[in-house]
mmCIF file with all atom_site columns, all heavy atoms in Angstrom:
data_model
loop_
_atom_site.group_PDB
_atom_site.id
_atom_site.type_symbol
_atom_site.label_atom_id
_atom_site.label_alt_id
_atom_site.label_comp_id
_atom_site.label_asym_id
_atom_site.label_entity_id
_atom_site.label_seq_id
_atom_site.pdbx_PDB_ins_code
_atom_site.Cartn_x
_atom_site.Cartn_y
_atom_site.Cartn_z
_atom_site.occupancy
_atom_site.B_iso_or_equiv
_atom_site.pdbx_formal_charge
_atom_site.auth_seq_id
_atom_site.auth_comp_id
_atom_site.auth_asym_id
_atom_site.auth_atom_id
_atom_site.pdbx_PDB_model_num
ATOM 1   N N   . HIS A 1 238 ? 8.581  -19.463 22.086 1.00 0.00 ? 291 HIS A N   1
ATOM 2   C CA  . HIS A 1 238 ? 7.155  -19.342 21.802 1.00 0.00 ? 291 HIS A CA  1
ATOM 3   C C   . HIS A 1 238 ? 6.632  -20.600 21.107 1.00 0.00 ? 291 HIS A C   1
ATOM 4   O O   . HIS A 1 238 ? 7.401  -21.401 20.559 1.00 0.00 ? 291 HIS A O   1
ATOM 5   C CB  . HIS A 1 238 ? 6.882  -18.118 20.923 1.00 0.00 ? 291 HIS A CB  1
ATOM 6   C CG  . HIS A 1 238 ? 7.577  -18.148 19.590 1.00 0.00 ? 291 HIS A CG  1
ATOM 7   N ND1 . HIS A 1 238 ? 7.056  -18.782 18.492 1.00 0.00 ? 291 HIS A ND1 1
ATOM 8   C CD2 . HIS A 1 238 ? 8.758  -17.614 19.193 1.00 0.00 ? 291 HIS A CD2 1
ATOM 9   C CE1 . HIS A 1 238 ? 7.873  -18.636 17.463 1.00 0.00 ? 291 HIS A CE1 1
ATOM 10  N NE2 . HIS A 1 238 ? 8.929  -17.943 17.868 1.00 0.00 ? 291 HIS A NE2 1
ATOM 11  N N   . LYS A 1 239 ? 5.337  -20.749 21.114 1.00 0.00 ? 292 LYS A N   1
ATOM 12  C CA  . LYS A 1 239 ? 4.670  -21.874 20.460 1.00 0.00 ? 292 LYS A CA  1
ATOM 13  C C   . LYS A 1 239 ? 3.533  -21.330 19.619 1.00 0.00 ? 292 LYS A C   1
ATOM 14  O O   . LYS A 1 239 ? 2.650  -20.644 20.122 1.00 0.00 ? 292 LYS A O   1
ATOM 15  C CB  . LYS A 1 239 ? 4.135  -22.857 21.505 1.00 0.00 ? 292 LYS A CB  1
ATOM 16  C CG  . LYS A 1 239 ? 3.481  -24.092 20.884 1.00 0.00 ? 292 LYS A CG  1
ATOM 17  C CD  . LYS A 1 239 ? 3.020  -25.050 21.963 1.00 0.00 ? 292 LYS A CD  1
ATOM 18  C CE  . LYS A 1 239 ? 2.391  -26.304 21.338 1.00 0.00 ? 292 LYS A CE  1
ATOM 19  N NZ  . LYS A 1 239 ? 1.929  -27.255 22.390 1.00 0.00 ? 292 LYS A NZ  1
ATOM 20  N N   . ASN A 1 240 ? 3.594  -21.618 18.307 1.00 0.00 ? 293 ASN A N   1
ATOM 21  C CA  . ASN A 1 240 ? 2.606  -21.097 17.362 1.00 0.00 ? 293 ASN A CA  1
ATOM 22  C C   . ASN A 1 240 ? 2.503  -19.571 17.447 1.00 0.00 ? 293 ASN A C   1
ATOM 23  O O   . ASN A 1 240 ? 1.427  -18.991 17.269 1.00 0.00 ? 293 ASN A O   1
ATOM 24  C CB  . ASN A 1 240 ? 1.230  -21.727 17.615 1.00 0.00 ? 293 ASN A CB  1
ATOM 25  C CG  . ASN A 1 240 ? 1.230  -23.224 17.384 1.00 0.00 ? 293 ASN A CG  1
ATOM 26  O OD1 . ASN A 1 240 ? 1.899  -23.733 16.481 1.00 0.00 ? 293 ASN A OD1 1
ATOM 27  N ND2 . ASN A 1 240 ? 0.477  -23.946 18.204 1.00 0.00 ? 293 ASN A ND2 1
ATOM 28  N N   . GLY A 1 241 ? 3.630  -18.959 17.741 1.00 0.00 ? 294 GLY A N   1
ATOM 29  C CA  . GLY A 1 241 ? 3.674  -17.501 17.792 1.00 0.00 ? 294 GLY A CA  1
ATOM 30  C C   . GLY A 1 241 ? 3.293  -16.900 19.126 1.00 0.00 ? 294 GLY A C   1
ATOM 31  O O   . GLY A 1 241 ? 3.320  -15.674 19.277 1.00 0.00 ? 294 GLY A O   1
ATOM 32  N N   . TRP A 1 242 ? 2.980  -17.729 20.122 1.00 0.00 ? 295 TRP A N   1
ATOM 33  C CA  . TRP A 1 242 ? 2.516  -17.235 21.420 1.00 0.00 ? 295 TRP A CA  1
ATOM 34  C C   . TRP A 1 242 ? 3.531  -17.484 22.524 1.00 0.00 ? 295 TRP A C   1
ATOM 35  O O   . TRP A 1 242 ? 4.147  -18.541 22.589 1.00 0.00 ? 295 TRP A O   1
ATOM 36  C CB  . TRP A 1 242 ? 1.200  -17.901 21.816 1.00 0.00 ? 295 TRP A CB  1
ATOM 37  C CG  . TRP A 1 242 ? 0.028  -17.434 21.013 1.00 0.00 ? 295 TRP A CG  1
ATOM 38  C CD1 . TRP A 1 242 ? -0.512 -18.049 19.914 1.00 0.00 ? 295 TRP A CD1 1
ATOM 39  C CD2 . TRP A 1 242 ? -0.758 -16.258 21.240 1.00 0.00 ? 295 TRP A CD2 1
ATOM 40  N NE1 . TRP A 1 242 ? -1.583 -17.338 19.447 1.00 0.00 ? 295 TRP A NE1 1
ATOM 41  C CE2 . TRP A 1 242 ? -1.757 -16.233 20.239 1.00 0.00 ? 295 TRP A CE2 1
ATOM 42  C CE3 . TRP A 1 242 ? -0.705 -15.235 22.186 1.00 0.00 ? 295 TRP A CE3 1
ATOM 43  C CZ2 . TRP A 1 242 ? -2.710 -15.209 20.157 1.00 0.00 ? 295 TRP A CZ2 1
ATOM 44  C CZ3 . TRP A 1 242 ? -1.643 -14.218 22.109 1.00 0.00 ? 295 TRP A CZ3 1
ATOM 45  C CH2 . TRP A 1 242 ? -2.639 -14.211 21.113 1.00 0.00 ? 295 TRP A CH2 1
ATOM 46  N N   . VAL A 1 243 ? 3.669  -16.502 23.405 1.00 0.00 ? 296 VAL A N   1
ATOM 47  C CA  . VAL A 1 243 ? 4.487  -16.617 24.609 1.00 0.00 ? 296 VAL A CA  1
ATOM 48  C C   . VAL A 1 243 ? 3.568  -16.438 25.806 1.00 0.00 ? 296 VAL A C   1
ATOM 49  O O   . VAL A 1 243 ? 2.878  -15.424 25.914 1.00 0.00 ? 296 VAL A O   1
ATOM 50  C CB  . VAL A 1 243 ? 5.599  -15.545 24.647 1.00 0.00 ? 296 VAL A CB  1
ATOM 51  C CG1 . VAL A 1 243 ? 6.440  -15.695 25.905 1.00 0.00 ? 296 VAL A CG1 1
ATOM 52  C CG2 . VAL A 1 243 ? 6.454  -15.601 23.391 1.00 0.00 ? 296 VAL A CG2 1
ATOM 53  N N   . GLU A 1 244 ? 3.526  -17.414 26.682 1.00 0.00 ? 297 GLU A N   1
ATOM 54  C CA  . GLU A 1 244 ? 2.653  -17.343 27.853 1.00 0.00 ? 297 GLU A CA  1
ATOM 55  C C   . GLU A 1 244 ? 3.408  -16.690 29.025 1.00 0.00 ? 297 GLU A C   1
ATOM 56  O O   . GLU A 1 244 ? 4.515  -17.113 29.367 1.00 0.00 ? 297 GLU A O   1
ATOM 57  C CB  . GLU A 1 244 ? 2.205  -18.744 28.271 1.00 0.00 ? 297 GLU A CB  1
ATOM 58  C CG  . GLU A 1 244 ? 1.511  -19.529 27.152 1.00 0.00 ? 297 GLU A CG  1
ATOM 59  C CD  . GLU A 1 244 ? 0.128  -19.014 26.847 1.00 0.00 ? 297 GLU A CD  1
ATOM 60  O OE1 . GLU A 1 244 ? -0.526 -18.497 27.782 1.00 0.00 ? 297 GLU A OE1 1
ATOM 61  O OE2 . GLU A 1 244 ? -0.312 -19.118 25.685 1.00 0.00 ? 297 GLU A OE2 1
ATOM 62  N N   . VAL A 1 245 ? 2.812  -15.666 29.628 1.00 0.00 ? 298 VAL A N   1
ATOM 63  C CA  . VAL A 1 245 ? 3.429  -14.963 30.757 1.00 0.00 ? 298 VAL A CA  1
ATOM 64  C C   . VAL A 1 245 ? 2.536  -15.116 31.977 1.00 0.00 ? 298 VAL A C   1
ATOM 65  O O   . VAL A 1 245 ? 1.364  -14.738 31.954 1.00 0.00 ? 298 VAL A O   1
ATOM 66  C CB  . VAL A 1 245 ? 3.634  -13.460 30.443 1.00 0.00 ? 298 VAL A CB  1
ATOM 67  C CG1 . VAL A 1 245 ? 4.241  -12.749 31.643 1.00 0.00 ? 298 VAL A CG1 1
ATOM 68  C CG2 . VAL A 1 245 ? 4.524  -13.292 29.216 1.00 0.00 ? 298 VAL A CG2 1
ATOM 69  N N   . LYS A 1 246 ? 3.117  -15.641 33.057 1.00 0.00 ? 299 LYS A N   1
ATOM 70  C CA  . LYS A 1 246 ? 2.339  -15.915 34.265 1.00 0.00 ? 299 LYS A CA  1
ATOM 71  C C   . LYS A 1 246 ? 2.842  -15.152 35.481 1.00 0.00 ? 299 LYS A C   1
ATOM 72  O O   . LYS A 1 246 ? 2.285  -15.300 36.569 1.00 0.00 ? 299 LYS A O   1
ATOM 73  C CB  . LYS A 1 246 ? 2.368  -17.425 34.554 1.00 0.00 ? 299 LYS A CB  1
ATOM 74  C CG  . LYS A 1 246 ? 1.768  -18.261 33.430 1.00 0.00 ? 299 LYS A CG  1
ATOM 75  C CD  . LYS A 1 246 ? 1.815  -19.751 33.746 1.00 0.00 ? 299 LYS A CD  1
ATOM 76  C CE  . LYS A 1 246 ? 1.216  -20.561 32.611 1.00 0.00 ? 299 LYS A CE  1
ATOM 77  N NZ  . LYS A 1 246 ? 1.258  -22.027 32.890 1.00 0.00 ? 299 LYS A NZ  1
ATOM 78  N N   . ARG A 1 247 ? 3.877  -14.334 35.312 1.00 0.00 ? 300 ARG A N   1
ATOM 79  C CA  . ARG A 1 247 ? 4.413  -13.565 36.430 1.00 0.00 ? 300 ARG A CA  1
ATOM 80  C C   . ARG A 1 247 ? 4.085  -12.092 36.255 1.00 0.00 ? 300 ARG A C   1
ATOM 81  O O   . ARG A 1 247 ? 4.366  -11.505 35.204 1.00 0.00 ? 300 ARG A O   1
ATOM 82  C CB  . ARG A 1 247 ? 5.930  -13.737 36.533 1.00 0.00 ? 300 ARG A CB  1
ATOM 83  C CG  . ARG A 1 247 ? 6.393  -15.153 36.777 1.00 0.00 ? 300 ARG A CG  1
ATOM 84  C CD  . ARG A 1 247 ? 7.837  -15.205 37.246 1.00 0.00 ? 300 ARG A CD  1
ATOM 85  N NE  . ARG A 1 247 ? 8.684  -14.168 36.645 1.00 0.00 ? 300 ARG A NE  1
ATOM 86  C CZ  . ARG A 1 247 ? 9.914  -13.898 37.064 1.00 0.00 ? 300 ARG A CZ  1
ATOM 87  N NH1 . ARG A 1 247 ? 10.429 -14.559 38.084 1.00 0.00 ? 300 ARG A NH1 1
ATOM 88  N NH2 . ARG A 1 247 ? 10.633 -12.958 36.466 1.00 0.00 ? 300 ARG A NH2 1
ATOM 89  N N   . GLU A 1 248 ? 3.523  -11.480 37.300 1.00 0.00 ? 301 GLU A N   1
ATOM 90  C CA  . GLU A 1 248 ? 3.180  -10.060 37.229 1.00 0.00 ? 301 GLU A CA  1
ATOM 91  C C   . GLU A 1 248 ? 4.409  -9.177  37.063 1.00 0.00 ? 301 GLU A C   1
ATOM 92  O O   . GLU A 1 248 ? 4.331  -8.100  36.478 1.00 0.00 ? 301 GLU A O   1
ATOM 93  C CB  . GLU A 1 248 ? 2.399  -9.643  38.480 1.00 0.00 ? 301 GLU A CB  1
ATOM 94  C CG  . GLU A 1 248 ? 0.983  -10.187 38.516 1.00 0.00 ? 301 GLU A CG  1
ATOM 95  C CD  . GLU A 1 248 ? 0.142  -9.558  39.618 1.00 0.00 ? 301 GLU A CD  1
ATOM 96  O OE1 . GLU A 1 248 ? 0.706  -8.764  40.414 1.00 0.00 ? 301 GLU A OE1 1
ATOM 97  O OE2 . GLU A 1 248 ? -1.064 -9.848  39.681 1.00 0.00 ? 301 GLU A OE2 1
ATOM 98  N N   . SER A 1 249 ? 5.544  -9.630  37.568 1.00 0.00 ? 302 SER A N   1
ATOM 99  C CA  . SER A 1 249 ? 6.770  -8.830  37.431 1.00 0.00 ? 302 SER A CA  1
ATOM 100 C C   . SER A 1 249 ? 7.147  -8.650  35.955 1.00 0.00 ? 302 SER A C   1
ATOM 101 O O   . SER A 1 249 ? 7.686  -7.607  35.570 1.00 0.00 ? 302 SER A O   1
ATOM 102 C CB  . SER A 1 249 ? 7.921  -9.476  38.195 1.00 0.00 ? 302 SER A CB  1
ATOM 103 O OG  . SER A 1 249 ? 8.174  -10.790 37.717 1.00 0.00 ? 302 SER A OG  1
#
Side-chain angles (χ1 to χ4, degrees):
H291 60 85
K292 183 178 181 180
N293 297 323
W295 288 97
V296 180
E297 304 288 330
V298 179
K299 299 180 180 180
R300 299 196 325 169
E301 288 191 355
S302 59

